[in-house]
Structures are given as structure tokens and as C-alpha cells.
Amino acid sequence: ILNVEQSPQSLHVQEGDSTNFTCSFPSSNFYALHWYRWETAKSPEALFVMTLNGDEKKKGRISATLNTKEGYSYLYIKGSQPEDSATYLCAFISGTSYGKLTFGQGTILTVHP
Amino acid sequence: DGGITQSPKYLFRKEGQNVTLSCEQNLNHDAMYWYRQDPGQGLRLIYYSQIVNDFQKGDIAEGYSVSREKKESFPLTVTSAQKNPTAFYLCASTQDRGLVLANGYTFGSGTRLTVV
């Protein structure tokens, strides 16, 4: 079973703070890294799908970077808002896990007004 | 609107009983997945299906069974052989069967199963 680790497990920030968290994954046989946002009582929603080393993706105040050689991805949120409060999941696809995602345990972000 | 419907939202089962969780999608997606979430753990794959009438075991398939008789439906049965069935169950689908799943997963809203 592939090991995908996310840190920190939870994070509390004040409104307006910028924050970031990490997803670590096996660097060999990499195919893709996904980020999802999961708000309470809702379904997880895809944020980014990243495939190339050095990839940077951005959606509004949220951005992500990818380093496939060392096996990590960062998710950044600039100027956090209470509506950013959610669990952020990363998930990994390798050559041995064709067609399916292996998820990390998630980072729970709480943004206090 | 297209999406994935999981039912019921909450389910209570007596120990020793089988129970079936429903997952229906009207997105015309080929691939469907069942994941389980336990506190402090990532989503773990139970079963997946990339085409009708075919499915594969995931990492934690023991005590579960599935069927894929129709493209839009992928029900999960939690059998009495599953030693610790109390969990949150998520169904997902994707239209992309390629190497990177470039369109990501679409998820249902989940079913919380409690064994009493």
C-alpha cells in the first residue's frame, strides 16, 4: 500500500492569515497528484490535478506546487477566509496504482473570524 | 443536475446483518469507486470498477462485496464478515480512465454506517 502523508493534521489560523500545508508521496513511478477540498456536510471537490515536476496551479487565493523528484506538494492559501475552513485532501497515482487514487489523511483547516 | 447520489445518509445495522449501500450516478462515468473513512485515517479504497460487469478489489476489500450490472449503479454490500464496519463510506466516479485521472473524481455525499 502506497504511503501518502499530509501535515499538519490540523491547523487553526486567523482570518487574513496566509497558510500552507504539505503532502508527501513516493517519488518513484509518479503519475499524478490531486488536491481536494472537503467542506463539512458536503462532498469533496477537486481543486487541482498536477502531473509535471515544477507544476504550479492556482485557483483564486489557493495555489499548489509540485516536486516529483523529492516527493512533495504544497498547498498555499493566501489571505484565509472563514469559508476556506475545510479538510484538504491530497491523493496520488503511481504506475502501480493505475486508475485509482491513494489518499492522505487530510489537513483540517479552521479559519477564525 | 448531474451528480452522484448515495443513500441512505445514515444507516444503523445490527451486528451479524448484511447491509447494502446505494451509489447512483447520472454523469455517464465509466469508473466508480468505494472508499471508507475512519477517524484520523485517509480514505481507503474498498472496491472499484472501470467498466460495467467488471470490478477489482481495493486495499481493504475483505468483508465487502459489490456489483456493477449497470453503468450508473455501483452498490456496496457490507457483510457480516466485515469485522469493523462502523465507518463513513464515500462513493466516487470519474469519466477519465487514463493514467492521471485528469478530470479528478466526483464524489457522493457519503453514508455513515453504524453497527449497533
Side-chain angles (χ1 to χ4, degrees):
Chain A
I1 295 178
L2 299 168
N3 205 22
V4 182
E5 296 285 338
Q6 290 188 247
S7 62
Q9 196 166 355
S10 65
L11 196 51
H12 291 257
V13 301
Q14 291 297 127
E15 183 174 355
D17 288 349
S18 293
T19 187
N20 67 84
F21 22 94
T22 306
C23 173
S24 301
F25 52 85
S27 56
S28 61
N29 211 4
F30 172 88
Y31 276 2
L33 192 284
H34 290 214
W35 282 101
Y36 291 81
R37 175 169 58 200
W38 191 0
E39 295 177 70
T40 302
K42 294 188 178 179
S43 307
E45 289 184 333
L47 284 173
F48 305 116
V49 176
M50 310 177 79
T51 57
L52 298 175
N53 185 44
D55 239 355
E56 288 190 33
K57 299 267 185 176
K58 189 173 180 184
K59 185 181 283 191
R61 293 179 291 97
I62 303 178
S63 60
T65 61
L66 179 67
N67 183 323
T68 61
K69 295 191 188 309
E70 296 181 44
Y72 65 84
S73 175
Y74 293 138
L75 190 81
Y76 299 92
I77 303 179
K78 186 177 176 182
S80 303
Q81 299 297 308
E83 58 264 31
D84 295 327
S85 297
T87 299
Y88 291 83
L89 301 172
C90 72
F92 169 74
I93 304 174
S94 76
T96 59
S97 63
Y98 176 81
K100 54 191 192 291
L101 290 169
T102 300
F103 285 85
Q105 75 275 36
T107 292
I108 303 169
L109 173 67
T110 305
V111 182
H112 299 279
Chain B
D1 282 339
I4 297 182
T5 301
Q6 287 188 246
S7 60
K9 210 178 222 12
Y10 299 95
L11 191 54
F12 295 88
R13 184 195 95 177
K14 288 187 180 177
E15 212 167 319
Q17 287 181 339
N18 292 358
V19 64
T20 297
L21 281 57
S22 169
C23 178
E24 303 276 331
Q25 53 101 354
N26 59 3
L27 300 163
N28 201 33
H29 287 177
D30 283 317
M32 297 186 74
Y33 307 81
W34 275 105
Y35 284 85
R36 168 182 170 138
Q37 188 196 35
D38 294 281
Q41 296 198 42
L43 298 175
R44 291 184 292 164
L45 182 64
I46 305 172
Y47 268 98
Y48 66 107
S49 166
Q50 294 184 309
I51 199 165
V52 174
N53 292 324
D54 188 44
F55 48 82
Q56 285 79 42
K57 292 181 180 180
D59 300 317
I60 55 164
E62 186 174 345
Y64 299 98
S65 66
V66 293
S67 63
R68 188 84 187 276
E69 296 173 4
K70 298 185 296 181
K71 188 174 188 177
E72 57 269 24
S73 178
F74 191 40
L76 174 74
T77 297
V78 184
T79 75
S80 56
Q82 169 47 236
K83 293 191 183 347
N84 193 15
T86 294
F88 185 75
Y89 292 87
L90 264 179
C91 179
S93 71
T94 182
Q95 67 183 57
D96 185 353
R97 287 187 286 153
L99 292 173
V100 301
L101 301 182
N103 295 299
Y105 281 359
T106 300
F107 283 94
S109 54
T111 292
R112 186 166 296 282
L113 173 64
T114 303
V115 174
V116 297

